[in-house]
Amino acid sequence: MIDEEGFQQQATQIGARIRKVQQNVATMQRHINQLAQTHGEDQSVKQQFHRMRLDTQQLIQDADSSLNNLNFGSARHLKLQRERLLDEFGSAINVFQEVQRKYVEQEKKFVREVKEHRHEMMSKHPTEDPLEADLGFPSTHPASQIQQQEEIDLRALEEQERAIQELEENIANVNEIYKKLGALVYEQGTVIDSIEASVENTAAFVEEGAQQLQQASRYRNKVRRRKVFLILLGIAILSTIFLVFYFGSN
């Protein structure tokens, strides 16, 4: 079990990772916007996107591990702080997943458009270079060279489809982290609810005890007044008897 200072150090590190995830996601979104303008043809932007994605995935795994190992003892304010970190982390993961899904959808659209275009060109000009045919120029390349280019283009498309599949698998893996995070949030909320219920019960017991003390105090005062009344009544009766005998004897 770590002390509060150790807890705060770990919490600060986790918070820094969460903020870095948020910054990376914003950059990834800009990359997606850039690729949309070039119809997915800017390979340098794609490479930057994937490097950022891998870096963000590692940050998420590190933050998840740190949160699982973040001990908070029985201090309620530390539990609340951990709950806030869980909420922020969950929001960051959710946005990261949305950006990845958007990228996958965009890449699938680009691949589909390229395949449809190539199929259309090949059906119209089966022995010509699709690019030159599209521009209206006659074929200037030998059939073997055209076939080699076709194979290169096909390999590029296959590589792109494999990258999309890998990204979809990554989304599924991060979803598992998100599910575990949801369980942690639920568990944390249950613990805090239990604490709050205990505090409320304690407050109710204190209030009930105070009411009972007030009732006991009122009862004691009533008993005390009765005793005083009886004493005074006894004194009055004795005084009356004394006066009756005194005046009677005279």
Side-chain angles (χ1 to χ4, degrees):
M1 183 68 64
I2 60 174
D3 55 12
E4 183 167 349
E5 182 179 356
F7 177 95
Q8 295 298 342
Q9 290 177 352
Q10 290 188 14
T12 300
Q13 294 174 355
I14 294 170
R17 290 192 179 103
I18 293 173
R19 287 189 295 274
K20 183 60 177 175
V21 169
Q22 295 169 338
Q23 294 171 3
N24 287 0
V25 168
T27 302
M28 292 168 65
Q29 181 60 59
R30 288 195 295 271
H31 290 158
I32 291 176
N33 296 338
Q34 292 173 359
L35 289 171
Q37 296 174 359
T38 62
H39 296 278
E41 296 180 358
D42 194 332
Q43 295 301 320
S44 64
V45 175
K46 285 187 178 182
Q47 292 174 0
Q48 293 173 21
F49 178 89
H50 286 293
R51 283 197 297 268
M52 190 68 67
R53 176 183 64 82
L54 293 174
D55 181 50
T56 304
Q57 183 179 357
Q58 186 62 51
L59 284 168
I60 288 174
Q61 292 174 350
D62 292 342
D64 178 59
S65 177
S66 297
L67 275 169
N68 289 330
N69 296 325
L70 186 62
N71 298 318
F72 46 81
S74 60
R76 183 172 181 273
H77 69 284
L78 298 183
K79 290 183 173 69
L80 292 173
Q81 185 175 353
R82 184 171 183 263
E83 183 185 29
R84 286 192 294 271
L85 287 173
L86 289 171
D87 289 339
E88 292 176 4
F89 187 44
S91 298
I93 290 179
N94 190 41
V95 177
F96 175 63
Q97 293 291 76
E98 287 298 322
V99 168
Q100 290 193 110
R101 293 189 187 100
K102 186 180 297 185
Y103 178 84
V104 168
E105 293 174 1
Q106 185 169 279
E107 285 295 288
K108 285 183 175 180
K109 177 183 176 183
F110 294 152
V111 170
R112 186 168 58 251
E113 290 176 351
V114 170
K115 285 184 174 181
E116 291 175 354
H117 178 71
R118 291 182 61 80
H119 179 72
E120 181 181 355
M121 291 297 100
M122 292 301 297
S123 62
K124 291 181 179 179
H125 310 279
T127 61
E128 296 182 0
D129 188 329
L131 178 59
E132 293 182 345
D134 188 37
L135 295 175
F137 297 112
S139 176
T140 58
H141 300 291
S144 61
Q145 188 173 352
I146 294 175
Q147 186 176 1
Q148 290 177 0
Q149 185 62 40
E150 285 292 324
E151 292 176 355
I152 292 174
D153 293 341
L154 286 174
R155 284 197 297 269
L157 284 175
E158 291 173 355
E159 182 65 29
Q160 192 168 0
E161 289 177 331
R162 281 195 295 269
I164 292 173
Q165 183 178 0
E166 179 185 349
L167 187 51
E168 288 178 327
E169 292 174 356
N170 176 70
I171 291 174
N173 293 334
V174 177
N175 276 341
E176 292 300 319
I177 295 178
Y178 191 77
K179 289 179 182 178
K180 290 193 300 181
L181 183 65
L184 284 175
V185 171
Y186 176 79
E187 178 185 355
Q188 181 83 354
T190 302
V191 171
I192 292 176
D193 289 342
S194 176
I195 293 174
E196 291 178 347
S198 299
V199 171
E200 291 176 357
N201 291 336
T202 301
F205 293 151
V206 170
E207 183 178 357
E208 182 179 355
Q211 292 176 354
Q212 291 178 353
L213 287 174
Q214 291 176 355
Q215 291 177 357
S217 178
R218 287 195 295 269
Y219 179 76
R220 285 196 299 270
N221 291 335
K222 184 181 294 186
V223 171
R224 190 179 297 111
R225 286 195 297 270
R226 285 182 180 178
K227 287 181 179 180
V228 171
F229 174 77
L230 291 175
I231 290 173
L232 293 176
L233 180 62
I235 292 173
I237 292 173
L238 291 175
S239 299
T240 302
I241 294 173
F242 175 76
L243 291 174
V244 168
F245 276 104
Y246 177 77
F247 287 108
S249 61
N250 290 334

